[in-house]
Amino acid sequence: MKDSELMEKIVSLAKRRGFVFPGSEIYGGLAGTFDYGPMGVRLKENVERLWLQMFRDSRDDMYGVDAAILMNPKIWEASGHVSGFSDPLVECEKCKKRFRADHLDDKEKCPECGGSLGDARQFNMMFKTHAGAMEDDSATVYLRPETAGGIFANFKSVVDSMHPKLPFGIAQIGKAFRNEIAPRDFIFRLRELSQMEVEYFVQPSEWEQAFEEWRKMMHLFAEAVGIPQDKVHELEVPEGDRAHYSKRTIDFEFDYPFGRKELWGLAYRTDFDLSAHANASGAELSYLDEETKEKFIPHVIEPSLGVDRTVLAILASAYREDDMGGETRTYLALAPKVAPVKAMVSPLLKNKPELVEKARDVRAELQKVHPAIAWDDNGNIGKRYRRQDEIGTPFCVTIDFDTLGEHPELEGTVTLRHRDSGEQERLTVAEAADRIRSAIE
Ligand code: ATP
């Protein structure tokens, strides 16, 4: 399959099966926005939950915040975003279309109409709006372009309320907004996106060790969500290409169907942010080491992960087509941990009340393992399997007359079908529950 074809198939499956819909679709859409549907929202939540577990909750040195998206604009002045968060924009003199200059191979010619391109100018990517009834500059606020700002702004409050010992980190998941010049590639480059970010504060001399720790954690996270290691590549970002605040950056790139592109970033931001905010706000943003009585501004390591790019990497990694006796079977080989539905339960026939009743009991039993156990009694069993395959449900459990004891030796057993191999096993309900439990744990 060609890569462009694969991308089309992923987008089409995502829409058909309720993962991702174009934003504002009934009004013709809005560039750079997508909405997560019933399956997508579960997949996204599972990704976020795993991240929270691994990056925050399983550690004693991590704290969470959920900061407001609208913040005092001075934050973005101090962080350098008002003056520096921009991309080079060029406009075609003929068709008036706009492009990101650094994304063009030919900087002189319009890739759409061949017209000549004007000079590049810097375009600030922050969305502006106004707080309150005044619409003048005094009321300008920005939609945050990264979640990190809300973490730095809360550093003092977290220190004062939780009294953490260095090294410690603050984690946050939330929306960020970037007025991208050319949003594209489905949910890869969005104008409204979600980020999962950690700012990990360390003694200046200990940054390298922390950098290595989080670097490993990011690979572990890729593995946990089912992104294969051989599709993830580290790129050491050279000095000239690094963000203004960073002394070292590694981009974690993924082999997307449209090329190798940034999935996540890991940056050493030195004391740039806390120092800048301390200077601009006048607040005391240093840390007092109780033992040495030394007071200093901690340095920071930032693992920054885009939720949407993670979801896309998961979908692209999981998409499969099989030839099943001349018929194509499409399925998502999702890691059971992130799959929106863990198992589907169905009665072989829906017009047999005794089968339906037993199947309802089995479903209730399996929901003790995990609540995301679906019910499907629509159409024939083959169709139900196809539907579940396409949303990546790892197991299907079918209740038939043998479950009810038609052959006494099989009474109480069910059929458990495995998504990837299509193989089926005859198991007791307790054994089926164990299979599901061990797959998602
Ligand atoms: P790019 O170079 O692709 O524009 P970036 O280097 O500006 O990305 P960062 O500022 O490092 O990205 O943002 C951290 C993470 O947020 C990225 O690694 C990515 O996962 C995610 N991200 C950034 N911009 C977007 C976007 N427009 N749409 C979706 N996710 C994004």
Side-chain angles (χ1 to χ4, degrees), residues 178 180 188-190 193 195 262-265 304 306 309:
R178 298 180 177 194
E180 296 278 356
F188 177 81
R189 189 169 298 287
L190 295 167
L193 53 132
Q195 292 182 316
E262 177 174 336
L263 169 65
W264 306 322
S304 175
R309 287 189 189 180

Side-chain angles (χ1 to χ4, degrees), residues 189-260:
R189 189 169 298 287
L190 295 167
R191 288 190 172 138
E192 176 173 342
L193 53 132
S194 295
Q195 292 182 316
M196 309 181 278
E197 295 196 302
V198 164
E199 304 304 329
Y200 193 72
F201 302 99
V202 298
Q203 293 265 5
S205 61
E206 288 173 358
W207 76 267
E208 274 158 314
Q209 191 189 328
F211 195 92
E212 287 310 316
E213 247 179 60
W214 289 107
R215 184 181 187 174
K216 279 196 204 106
M217 183 64 106
M218 290 167 83
H219 285 289
L220 287 176
F221 184 66
E223 203 178 306
V225 296
I227 298 176
Q229 287 299 332
D230 62 351
K231 287 189 162 191
V232 178
H233 311 274
E234 288 190 5
L235 173 80
E236 187 79 45
V237 180
E239 194 177 342
D241 295 346
R242 284 197 297 260
H244 55 281
Y245 48 72
S246 177
K247 275 241 175 97
R248 184 177 180 198
T249 299
I250 291 180
D251 281 352
F252 286 69
E253 297 189 314
F254 175 78
D255 293 321
Y256 286 101
F258 43 84
R260 187 173 289 182

Side-chain angles (χ1 to χ4, degrees), residues 339-376:
V341 174
K342 309 304 174 192
M344 180 273 279
V345 176
S346 71
L348 183 65
L349 301 168
K350 76 169 176 185
N351 55 2
K352 297 282 175 198
E354 62 276 33
L355 283 181
V356 173
E357 192 187 337
K358 180 65 188 169
R360 289 274 178 207
D361 290 348
V362 170
R363 182 187 185 218
E365 202 50 41
L366 297 180
Q367 280 183 311
K368 292 180 188 160
V369 177
H370 197 286
I373 307 290
W375 174 266
D376 192 355

Side-chain angles (χ1 to χ4, degrees), residues 7-270:
M7 205 51 211
E8 261 171 46
K9 288 187 171 186
I10 292 169
V11 174
S12 142
L13 182 142
K15 181 153 194 279
R16 183 170 76 248
R17 290 293 177 211
F19 282 91
V20 180
F21 306 131
S24 318
E25 194 184 12
I26 59 169
Y27 285 97
L30 177 69
T33 66
F34 281 89
D35 298 340
Y36 286 87
M39 290 303 127
V41 79
R42 287 188 183 199
L43 171 58
K44 183 175 185 245
E45 284 165 2
N46 291 341
V47 166
E48 293 176 351
R49 208 171 289 135
L50 258 175
W51 183 87
L52 287 172
Q53 263 171 29
M54 293 176 69
F55 284 71
R56 190 187 74 187
D57 298 342
S58 63
R59 304 175 58 114
D60 293 332
D61 57 353
M62 291 298 302
Y63 300 82
V65 293
D66 183 6
I69 288 173
L70 299 177
M71 293 193 281
N72 190 311
K74 288 182 184 153
I75 288 178
W76 306 114
E77 282 164 26
S79 66
H81 283 83
V82 171
S83 58
F85 191 62
S86 40
D87 277 336
L89 170 84
V90 281
E91 190 175 283
C92 171
E93 286 165 1
K94 196 163 147 205
C95 73
K96 304 289 173 209
K97 285 230 169 87
R98 294 171 162 196
F99 306 92
R100 242 179 90 167
D102 56 334
H103 283 171
L104 295 177
D105 293 329
D106 185 341
K107 311 270 183 240
E108 317 264 297
K109 207 162 88 183
C110 173
E112 303 257 325
C113 77
S116 51
L117 297 172
D119 291 338
R121 64 182 169 88
Q122 290 300 316
F123 172 76
N124 193 293
M125 293 204 289
M126 283 199 294
F127 279 98
K128 265 189 201 176
T129 185
H130 297 97
M134 303 290 283
E135 290 218 351
D136 61 16
D137 281 352
S138 69
T140 296
V141 289
Y142 301 96
L143 300 188
R144 66 181 178 202
E146 54 177 30
T147 56
I151 296 181
F152 292 119
N154 280 292
F155 172 82
K156 184 172 162 33
S157 300
V158 171
V159 169
D160 291 349
S161 58
M162 308 305 293
H163 310 289
K165 290 250 171 313
L166 219 60
F168 73 93
I170 304 178
Q172 173 167 234
I173 296 182
K175 291 271 185 159
F177 300 83
R178 298 180 177 194
N179 198 0
E180 296 278 356
I181 295 167
R184 61 175 153 180
D185 297 323
F186 194 36
I187 52 173
F188 177 81
R189 189 169 298 287
L190 295 167
R191 288 190 172 138
E192 176 173 342
L193 53 132
S194 295
Q195 292 182 316
M196 309 181 278
E197 295 196 302
V198 164
E199 304 304 329
Y200 193 72
F201 302 99
V202 298
Q203 293 265 5
S205 61
E206 288 173 358
W207 76 267
E208 274 158 314
Q209 191 189 328
F211 195 92
E212 287 310 316
E213 247 179 60
W214 289 107
R215 184 181 187 174
K216 279 196 204 106
M217 183 64 106
M218 290 167 83
H219 285 289
L220 287 176
F221 184 66
E223 203 178 306
V225 296
I227 298 176
Q229 287 299 332
D230 62 351
K231 287 189 162 191
V232 178
H233 311 274
E234 288 190 5
L235 173 80
E236 187 79 45
V237 180
E239 194 177 342
D241 295 346
R242 284 197 297 260
H244 55 281
Y245 48 72
S246 177
K247 275 241 175 97
R248 184 177 180 198
T249 299
I250 291 180
D251 281 352
F252 286 69
E253 297 189 314
F254 175 78
D255 293 321
Y256 286 101
F258 43 84
R260 187 173 289 182
K261 295 271 161 68
E262 177 174 336
L263 169 65
W264 306 322
L266 175 65
Y268 169 40
R269 292 173 77 129
T270 68

